Amino acid sequence: MKTLQRTLTIIKPDAVRKNAIGDIIEQLEKNDFRILALKMLEISKHQAEQFYAVHAGRPFFRTLTDFMSSGPIVALALEKENAIADLRKLMGATNPASAEEGTIRKKWATNIEHNAIHGSDAEDTARFELSFFFAGYELAE
Ligand code: GDP
């Protein structure tokens, strides 16, 4: 059974630097994601550490949070049936070397860390991540 879900995606600093914002948003819309809200912003190192707290202690935590606070990002709140799994399919594998043809990471990622896009991986993380970037009043009805 399909249920309407919300998820959070981030166009990461590498993709913003490559002028890929438009292409990635086009792919999201073509794949029937409804954009409920979007904003371009920069986050601090501390905010990146809070966002990725689940990865604290991993060997890549320092470089990941340095990278995510290294320049502008675009955060989008998305809605679709099966949004969480469908977004992760469209994103492609974390390591672009393993990403399938036609995925966003295959097209835009540079390496396993500078991999163009983030997507929530479950309903509870989607709720946390959406509320990290957006207040309820900012989401389209
Ligand atoms: P995602 O859900 O596909 O984004 O992957 P994860 O939640 O496992 O990891 C979060 C982010 O940390 C990834 O998107 C990468 O930017 C980075 N990352 C994950 N695994 C590695 C790794 O083994 N090495 C490095 N350098 N970065 C990683």
PDB file of all heavy atoms in Angstrom, residues 2 9 14-15 25-27 47 59 69 73 76 79 86 88-89 91 98 102 109-110 112 115:
ATOM      1  N   LYS A   2       0.523   2.197  -0.824  1.00  0.00           N
ATOM      2  CA  LYS A   2       1.306   3.430  -0.881  1.00  0.00           C
ATOM      3  C   LYS A   2       0.685   4.479   0.027  1.00  0.00           C
ATOM      4  O   LYS A   2      -0.521   4.637   0.071  1.00  0.00           O
ATOM      5  CB  LYS A   2       1.349   3.946  -2.314  1.00  0.00           C
ATOM      6  CG  LYS A   2       2.184   3.079  -3.238  1.00  0.00           C
ATOM      7  CD  LYS A   2       2.368   3.747  -4.571  1.00  0.00           C
ATOM      8  CE  LYS A   2       3.392   2.989  -5.395  1.00  0.00           C
ATOM      9  NZ  LYS A   2       3.589   3.582  -6.717  1.00  0.00           N
ATOM     10  N   THR A   9      15.116  16.852   1.406  1.00  0.00           N
ATOM     11  CA  THR A   9      16.300  16.697   0.578  1.00  0.00           C
ATOM     12  C   THR A   9      17.158  17.951   0.694  1.00  0.00           C
ATOM     13  O   THR A   9      16.650  19.045   0.952  1.00  0.00           O
ATOM     14  CB  THR A   9      15.949  16.375  -0.886  1.00  0.00           C
ATOM     15  OG1 THR A   9      17.132  16.016  -1.588  1.00  0.00           O
ATOM     16  CG2 THR A   9      15.305  17.541  -1.600  1.00  0.00           C
ATOM     17  N   ASP A  14      28.604  20.933  -3.015  1.00  0.00           N
ATOM     18  CA  ASP A  14      29.287  20.605  -4.278  1.00  0.00           C
ATOM     19  C   ASP A  14      28.365  20.795  -5.466  1.00  0.00           C
ATOM     20  O   ASP A  14      28.767  21.334  -6.503  1.00  0.00           O
ATOM     21  CB  ASP A  14      29.850  19.172  -4.246  1.00  0.00           C
ATOM     22  CG  ASP A  14      28.787  18.113  -4.000  1.00  0.00           C
ATOM     23  OD1 ASP A  14      27.817  18.387  -3.247  1.00  0.00           O
ATOM     24  OD2 ASP A  14      28.895  17.005  -4.555  1.00  0.00           O
ATOM     25  N   ALA A  15      27.101  20.377  -5.329  1.00  0.00           N
ATOM     26  CA  ALA A  15      26.148  20.501  -6.436  1.00  0.00           C
ATOM     27  C   ALA A  15      25.763  21.966  -6.666  1.00  0.00           C
ATOM     28  O   ALA A  15      25.576  22.397  -7.809  1.00  0.00           O
ATOM     29  CB  ALA A  15      24.920  19.648  -6.167  1.00  0.00           C
ATOM     30  N   ILE A  25      16.286  20.125  -9.224  1.00  0.00           N
ATOM     31  CA  ILE A  25      14.874  20.434  -8.952  1.00  0.00           C
ATOM     32  C   ILE A  25      14.003  19.946 -10.114  1.00  0.00           C
ATOM     33  O   ILE A  25      12.912  19.403  -9.914  1.00  0.00           O
ATOM     34  CB  ILE A  25      14.680  21.942  -8.668  1.00  0.00           C
ATOM     35  CG1 ILE A  25      15.314  22.285  -7.320  1.00  0.00           C
ATOM     36  CG2 ILE A  25      13.211  22.307  -8.677  1.00  0.00           C
ATOM     37  CD1 ILE A  25      15.251  23.749  -6.934  1.00  0.00           C
ATOM     38  N   GLU A  26      14.487  20.071 -11.341  1.00  0.00           N
ATOM     39  CA  GLU A  26      13.729  19.579 -12.497  1.00  0.00           C
ATOM     40  C   GLU A  26      13.508  18.056 -12.379  1.00  0.00           C
ATOM     41  O   GLU A  26      12.409  17.558 -12.629  1.00  0.00           O
ATOM     42  CB  GLU A  26      14.475  19.904 -13.792  1.00  0.00           C
ATOM     43  CG  GLU A  26      13.673  19.546 -15.022  1.00  0.00           C
ATOM     44  CD  GLU A  26      14.404  19.914 -16.314  1.00  0.00           C
ATOM     45  OE1 GLU A  26      15.459  20.564 -16.247  1.00  0.00           O
ATOM     46  OE2 GLU A  26      13.900  19.523 -17.370  1.00  0.00           O
ATOM     47  N   GLN A  27      14.560  17.345 -11.976  1.00  0.00           N
ATOM     48  CA  GLN A  27      14.415  15.888 -11.837  1.00  0.00           C
ATOM     49  C   GLN A  27      13.430  15.535 -10.730  1.00  0.00           C
ATOM     50  O   GLN A  27      12.652  14.584 -10.858  1.00  0.00           O
ATOM     51  CB  GLN A  27      15.779  15.244 -11.570  1.00  0.00           C
ATOM     52  CG  GLN A  27      16.700  15.334 -12.778  1.00  0.00           C
ATOM     53  CD  GLN A  27      17.932  14.477 -12.581  1.00  0.00           C
ATOM     54  OE1 GLN A  27      17.832  13.293 -12.306  1.00  0.00           O
ATOM     55  NE2 GLN A  27      19.106  15.080 -12.718  1.00  0.00           N
ATOM     56  N   GLN A  47      25.815  23.575  13.351  1.00  0.00           N
ATOM     57  CA  GLN A  47      24.514  23.114  12.841  1.00  0.00           C
ATOM     58  C   GLN A  47      24.672  21.818  12.039  1.00  0.00           C
ATOM     59  O   GLN A  47      23.826  20.923  12.116  1.00  0.00           O
ATOM     60  CB  GLN A  47      23.872  24.211  11.987  1.00  0.00           C
ATOM     61  CG  GLN A  47      23.362  25.377  12.820  1.00  0.00           C
ATOM     62  CD  GLN A  47      22.961  26.570  11.964  1.00  0.00           C
ATOM     63  OE1 GLN A  47      23.597  26.888  10.970  1.00  0.00           O
ATOM     64  NE2 GLN A  47      21.876  27.230  12.360  1.00  0.00           N
ATOM     65  N   PRO A  59      34.372   7.873  11.202  1.00  0.00           N
ATOM     66  CA  PRO A  59      35.648   8.475  10.766  1.00  0.00           C
ATOM     67  C   PRO A  59      35.476   9.672   9.826  1.00  0.00           C
ATOM     68  O   PRO A  59      36.340  10.543   9.785  1.00  0.00           O
ATOM     69  CB  PRO A  59      36.373   7.323  10.062  1.00  0.00           C
ATOM     70  CG  PRO A  59      35.398   6.213   9.929  1.00  0.00           C
ATOM     71  CD  PRO A  59      34.298   6.431  10.900  1.00  0.00           C
ATOM     72  N   SER A  69      29.175  22.581   5.783  1.00  0.00           N
ATOM     73  CA  SER A  69      29.154  23.989   6.201  1.00  0.00           C
ATOM     74  C   SER A  69      30.100  24.831   5.343  1.00  0.00           C
ATOM     75  O   SER A  69      30.441  25.958   5.713  1.00  0.00           O
ATOM     76  CB  SER A  69      29.534  24.098   7.686  1.00  0.00           C
ATOM     77  OG  SER A  69      30.797  23.517   7.937  1.00  0.00           O
ATOM     78  N   ILE A  73      23.715  25.722   0.577  1.00  0.00           N
ATOM     79  CA  ILE A  73      22.973  24.496   0.278  1.00  0.00           C
ATOM     80  C   ILE A  73      21.534  24.901  -0.028  1.00  0.00           C
ATOM     81  O   ILE A  73      21.119  26.035   0.260  1.00  0.00           O
ATOM     82  CB  ILE A  73      22.978  23.508   1.465  1.00  0.00           C
ATOM     83  CG1 ILE A  73      22.372  24.157   2.723  1.00  0.00           C
ATOM     84  CG2 ILE A  73      24.410  23.019   1.746  1.00  0.00           C
ATOM     85  CD1 ILE A  73      22.194  23.200   3.891  1.00  0.00           C
ATOM     86  N   LEU A  76      14.942  21.317   0.653  1.00  0.00           N
ATOM     87  CA  LEU A  76      13.586  21.243   0.114  1.00  0.00           C
ATOM     88  C   LEU A  76      12.753  20.243   0.924  1.00  0.00           C
ATOM     89  O   LEU A  76      13.229  19.146   1.223  1.00  0.00           O
ATOM     90  CB  LEU A  76      13.567  20.764  -1.338  1.00  0.00           C
ATOM     91  CG  LEU A  76      14.267  21.621  -2.380  1.00  0.00           C
ATOM     92  CD1 LEU A  76      15.662  21.076  -2.645  1.00  0.00           C
ATOM     93  CD2 LEU A  76      13.480  21.660  -3.682  1.00  0.00           C
ATOM     94  N   GLU A  79       6.855  16.150  -0.960  1.00  0.00           N
ATOM     95  CA  GLU A  79       5.743  15.245  -0.660  1.00  0.00           C
ATOM     96  C   GLU A  79       5.424  14.406  -1.885  1.00  0.00           C
ATOM     97  O   GLU A  79       5.414  14.894  -3.014  1.00  0.00           O
ATOM     98  CB  GLU A  79       4.506  16.048  -0.249  1.00  0.00           C
ATOM     99  CG  GLU A  79       3.370  15.186   0.254  1.00  0.00           C
ATOM    100  CD  GLU A  79       2.231  16.045   0.771  1.00  0.00           C
ATOM    101  OE1 GLU A  79       1.513  16.627  -0.069  1.00  0.00           O
ATOM    102  OE2 GLU A  79       2.062  16.137   2.002  1.00  0.00           O
ATOM    103  N   ASP A  86      11.353   6.531  -2.782  1.00  0.00           N
ATOM    104  CA  ASP A  86      11.471   7.004  -4.174  1.00  0.00           C
ATOM    105  C   ASP A  86      12.589   8.033  -4.315  1.00  0.00           C
ATOM    106  O   ASP A  86      13.313   8.044  -5.315  1.00  0.00           O
ATOM    107  CB  ASP A  86      10.154   7.622  -4.653  1.00  0.00           C
ATOM    108  CG  ASP A  86       9.138   6.559  -5.047  1.00  0.00           C
ATOM    109  OD1 ASP A  86       9.409   5.365  -4.820  1.00  0.00           O
ATOM    110  OD2 ASP A  86       8.068   6.933  -5.567  1.00  0.00           O
ATOM    111  N   ARG A  88      15.304   8.219  -2.453  1.00  0.00           N
ATOM    112  CA  ARG A  88      16.607   7.553  -2.329  1.00  0.00           C
ATOM    113  C   ARG A  88      16.957   6.794  -3.607  1.00  0.00           C
ATOM    114  O   ARG A  88      18.126   6.712  -3.987  1.00  0.00           O
ATOM    115  CB  ARG A  88      16.626   6.664  -1.086  1.00  0.00           C
ATOM    116  CG  ARG A  88      16.557   7.540   0.187  1.00  0.00           C
ATOM    117  CD  ARG A  88      16.797   6.762   1.446  1.00  0.00           C
ATOM    118  NE  ARG A  88      18.113   6.195   1.492  1.00  0.00           N
ATOM    119  CZ  ARG A  88      19.222   6.835   1.905  1.00  0.00           C
ATOM    120  NH1 ARG A  88      19.158   8.097   2.293  1.00  0.00           N
ATOM    121  NH2 ARG A  88      20.384   6.224   1.927  1.00  0.00           N
ATOM    122  N   LYS A  89      15.923   6.285  -4.291  1.00  0.00           N
ATOM    123  CA  LYS A  89      16.168   5.612  -5.578  1.00  0.00           C
ATOM    124  C   LYS A  89      16.651   6.638  -6.615  1.00  0.00           C
ATOM    125  O   LYS A  89      17.611   6.397  -7.354  1.00  0.00           O
ATOM    126  CB  LYS A  89      14.863   4.958  -6.030  1.00  0.00           C
ATOM    127  CG  LYS A  89      14.973   4.065  -7.220  1.00  0.00           C
ATOM    128  CD  LYS A  89      13.854   3.010  -7.198  1.00  0.00           C
ATOM    129  CE  LYS A  89      14.063   2.010  -8.333  1.00  0.00           C
ATOM    130  NZ  LYS A  89      13.397   2.402  -9.562  1.00  0.00           N
ATOM    131  N   MET A  91      18.122   9.445  -6.003  1.00  0.00           N
ATOM    132  CA  MET A  91      19.452   9.945  -5.616  1.00  0.00           C
ATOM    133  C   MET A  91      20.561   9.020  -6.105  1.00  0.00           C
ATOM    134  O   MET A  91      21.608   9.469  -6.557  1.00  0.00           O
ATOM    135  CB  MET A  91      19.564  10.023  -4.082  1.00  0.00           C
ATOM    136  CG  MET A  91      18.826  11.187  -3.460  1.00  0.00           C
ATOM    137  SD  MET A  91      18.521  10.945  -1.681  1.00  0.00           S
ATOM    138  CE  MET A  91      20.095  10.451  -1.049  1.00  0.00           C
ATOM    139  N   SER A  98      29.052   3.445  -7.382  1.00  0.00           N
ATOM    140  CA  SER A  98      28.068   2.356  -7.424  1.00  0.00           C
ATOM    141  C   SER A  98      26.680   2.841  -7.853  1.00  0.00           C
ATOM    142  O   SER A  98      25.729   2.060  -7.873  1.00  0.00           O
ATOM    143  CB  SER A  98      27.927   1.721  -6.035  1.00  0.00           C
ATOM    144  OG  SER A  98      29.174   1.437  -5.470  1.00  0.00           O
ATOM    145  N   GLY A 102      21.218   7.342 -14.622  1.00  0.00           N
ATOM    146  CA  GLY A 102      19.947   8.042 -14.494  1.00  0.00           C
ATOM    147  C   GLY A 102      19.706   8.612 -13.114  1.00  0.00           C
ATOM    148  O   GLY A 102      18.725   9.313 -12.891  1.00  0.00           O
ATOM    149  N   ALA A 109      27.526  13.656  -8.530  1.00  0.00           N
ATOM    150  CA  ALA A 109      28.425  13.450  -7.393  1.00  0.00           C
ATOM    151  C   ALA A 109      29.874  13.330  -7.855  1.00  0.00           C
ATOM    152  O   ALA A 109      30.149  12.823  -8.950  1.00  0.00           O
ATOM    153  CB  ALA A 109      28.018  12.198  -6.621  1.00  0.00           C
ATOM    154  N   THR A 110      30.779  13.778  -6.999  1.00  0.00           N
ATOM    155  CA  THR A 110      32.214  13.681  -7.276  1.00  0.00           C
ATOM    156  C   THR A 110      32.815  12.450  -6.615  1.00  0.00           C
ATOM    157  O   THR A 110      33.618  11.743  -7.224  1.00  0.00           O
ATOM    158  CB  THR A 110      32.944  14.946  -6.746  1.00  0.00           C
ATOM    159  OG1 THR A 110      32.334  16.083  -7.355  1.00  0.00           O
ATOM    160  CG2 THR A 110      34.430  14.910  -7.067  1.00  0.00           C
ATOM    161  N   ILE A 112      32.343   9.740  -2.652  1.00  0.00           N
ATOM    162  CA  ILE A 112      31.403   9.260  -1.619  1.00  0.00           C
ATOM    163  C   ILE A 112      30.992  10.362  -0.645  1.00  0.00           C
ATOM    164  O   ILE A 112      29.910  10.316  -0.074  1.00  0.00           O
ATOM    165  CB  ILE A 112      31.991   8.043  -0.872  1.00  0.00           C
ATOM    166  CG1 ILE A 112      30.908   7.358  -0.011  1.00  0.00           C
ATOM    167  CG2 ILE A 112      33.212   8.425  -0.047  1.00  0.00           C
ATOM    168  CD1 ILE A 112      31.306   6.012   0.531  1.00  0.00           C
ATOM    169  N   ASN A 115      28.723  14.159  -2.577  1.00  0.00           N
ATOM    170  CA  ASN A 115      27.812  13.360  -3.405  1.00  0.00           C
ATOM    171  C   ASN A 115      26.490  14.039  -3.715  1.00  0.00           C
ATOM    172  O   ASN A 115      25.463  13.383  -3.897  1.00  0.00           O
ATOM    173  CB  ASN A 115      27.622  11.968  -2.784  1.00  0.00           C
ATOM    174  CG  ASN A 115      27.038  12.034  -1.387  1.00  0.00           C
ATOM    175  OD1 ASN A 115      26.710  13.105  -0.901  1.00  0.00           O
ATOM    176  ND2 ASN A 115      26.902  10.885  -0.756  1.00  0.00           N
TER     177      ASN A 115
END
